Amino acid sequence: MRRREFITLIGGAAATRPFAALAQQAAMPVVGYLSAATPNEGEPNAAAFRRGLQEAGYVEGQNVTIEYHWAGQQTDRLPTMAADLVQRHVNVIAATTTPGALAAQAATTTVPIVFEMGGDPVRLGLVVNLNRPGGNVTGVTSLIVEVAPKRLELLHELLPTAKVMALLVNPDDRALAQAQQREVLSAARNRKLELHVLNARSESDFDTVFADIKRLRVEGLVIGAGTVVLGGIKKLAGLTVRHAVPAIYQSRSFPVAGGLMSYGADILDSYRLAGVYTGRVLKGENPAELPVVQATKFELVINLKTAKALGISVPPSMQARADEMIE
């Protein structure tokens, strides 16, 4: 893990540096990095963001300062953190995840904001349209919501006789949870599947979730995007295997941790692109005229060892389409 000189922790998960410390580096532009994760969980994404910044000509500690604000999985802290970054007069706010982007937008209409998120920024009111955002906000969307039905379809392809599925969401991430629920429910109806929506606000809810899965006789689980999953991905992967529940998630981190499969955008590449956009804004480009970048690189990852443990035979056709097979 790369060490960082400029890490700011706020309220329990972190503590901010005084404004005077920033003044010492007034010659450098300052990027406010807003994340719902903890530093350890969010470091791979932050590293990808820094790579993008470097591609745009900015290296942390040399010609740009980054103020990291980590919410530690407590999204209700994000509005206060976003307001703090505005008060510190940062040059750009890099807002990650849907709650982070919404918190930053609510905090300022003047400071440029570059988001990395999974939702539809137009539907959420972050931008006027994708080609010409029109305000102080632009960024990258990994299309988590739009791809959610595809995850259900892939899981059903692997479990063709299944009739009962479940979708796990974090209700505290209301905008993203509602959007995923809408799209996956529609896909389930089209496939004549019974779909149960289950909620988890934290890892402490996981045991209840799997008790409900057993009670409802759920045959497959689509794990929705949400901050609770980011922090508990290893635990979730282990529980799906322990309880023999075939499951799919958006990120390859899930099958790498022992889960069955994943399908979604390359998140690290999305963060890299957000870093590139942040650099462009620092150079003077107007967010209102920078088109929102939509993910184009998607990957299907299957853990064959887990499939065997669950008694699932992965069809050769699906193996051929997979970008990675974990054995």
Side-chain angles (χ1 to χ4, degrees):
M1 181 181 294
R2 183 183 303 176
R3 296 185 62 187
R4 302 190 304 278
E5 182 177 356
F6 301 101
I7 295 181
T8 298
L9 299 179
I10 287 190
T16 57
R17 289 187 298 165
F19 183 79
L22 282 179
Q24 296 174 2
Q25 301 183 31
M28 291 189 192
V30 181
V31 173
Y33 186 89
L34 184 64
S35 172
T38 66
N40 286 340
E41 294 160 356
E43 170 55 24
N45 294 340
F49 174 82
R50 291 192 295 272
R51 286 196 297 273
L53 263 181
Q54 186 168 354
E55 289 177 29
Y58 291 93
V59 178
E60 182 181 13
Q62 294 184 17
N63 59 354
V64 68
T65 297
I66 304 177
E67 283 294 308
Y68 297 90
H69 280 23
W70 305 98
Q73 302 300 341
Q74 299 185 49
T75 55
D76 57 346
R77 293 180 175 179
L78 289 170
T80 300
M81 293 180 173
D84 179 77
L85 289 172
V86 174
Q87 291 172 2
R88 288 168 176 265
H89 303 288
V90 299
N91 297 87
V92 184
I93 296 176
T96 69
T97 73
T98 300
L102 292 172
Q105 183 196 40
T108 180
T109 58
T110 56
V111 179
I113 298 168
V114 175
F115 59 73
E116 193 295 321
M117 56 180 285
D120 181 341
V122 176
R123 179 172 287 174
L124 291 169
L126 287 164
V127 300
V128 175
N129 62 59
L130 297 179
N131 290 328
R132 292 184 66 84
N136 64 318
V137 183
T138 189
V140 183
T141 176
S142 54
L143 302 175
I144 288 172
V145 173
E146 288 76 7
V147 179
K150 181 64 174 179
R151 284 190 276 276
L152 177 70
E153 293 169 10
L154 286 167
L155 189 58
H156 193 221
E157 182 180 345
L158 198 57
L159 307 168
T161 62
K163 298 297 182 184
V164 182
M165 299 286 198
L167 169 67
L168 178 64
V169 297
N170 178 4
D172 287 343
D173 192 346
R174 186 170 61 178
L176 189 56
Q178 290 178 345
Q180 290 178 101
Q181 182 174 329
R182 179 181 61 249
E183 297 297 328
V184 177
L185 279 170
S186 176
R189 284 194 295 269
N190 290 339
R191 288 181 168 262
K192 296 180 172 53
L193 294 171
E194 181 180 349
L195 183 76
H196 298 279
V197 178
L198 307 176
N199 295 316
R201 290 181 167 84
S202 68
E203 290 186 35
S204 62
D205 293 328
F206 289 169
D207 289 338
T208 299
V209 165
F210 281 89
D212 287 340
I213 285 174
K214 181 178 181 180
R215 176 177 58 82
L216 296 168
R217 300 181 184 275
V218 169
E219 298 165 272
L221 175 66
V222 177
I223 301 172
T227 54
V228 66
V229 174
L230 179 63
I233 197 67
K234 290 182 179 180
K235 183 174 182 179
L236 265 178
L239 286 169
T240 59
V241 174
R242 187 186 312 163
H243 293 275
V245 181
I248 186 170
Y249 181 51
Q250 66 184 21
S251 168
R252 71 180 295 275
S253 60
F254 181 66
V256 166
L260 177 60
M261 62 193 301
S262 67
Y263 180 77
D266 184 335
I267 298 299
L268 294 181
D269 191 56
S270 292
Y271 274 80
R272 180 189 65 81
L273 291 171
V276 172
Y277 253 30
T278 299
R280 291 177 63 176
V281 172
L282 287 174
K283 289 180 177 179
E285 293 193 56
N286 187 350
E289 299 174 358
L290 284 174
V292 172
V293 179
Q294 299 182 76
T296 57
K297 183 180 178 182
F298 296 88
E299 54 186 8
L300 171 63
V301 181
I302 303 172
N303 189 317
L304 287 178
K305 182 179 179 180
T306 299
K308 183 178 180 180
L310 296 174
I312 296 172
S313 177
V314 181
S317 60
M318 182 173 284
Q319 293 191 39
R321 298 194 328 260
D323 298 275
E324 182 179 355
M325 304 288 288
I326 298 173
E327 301 186 63

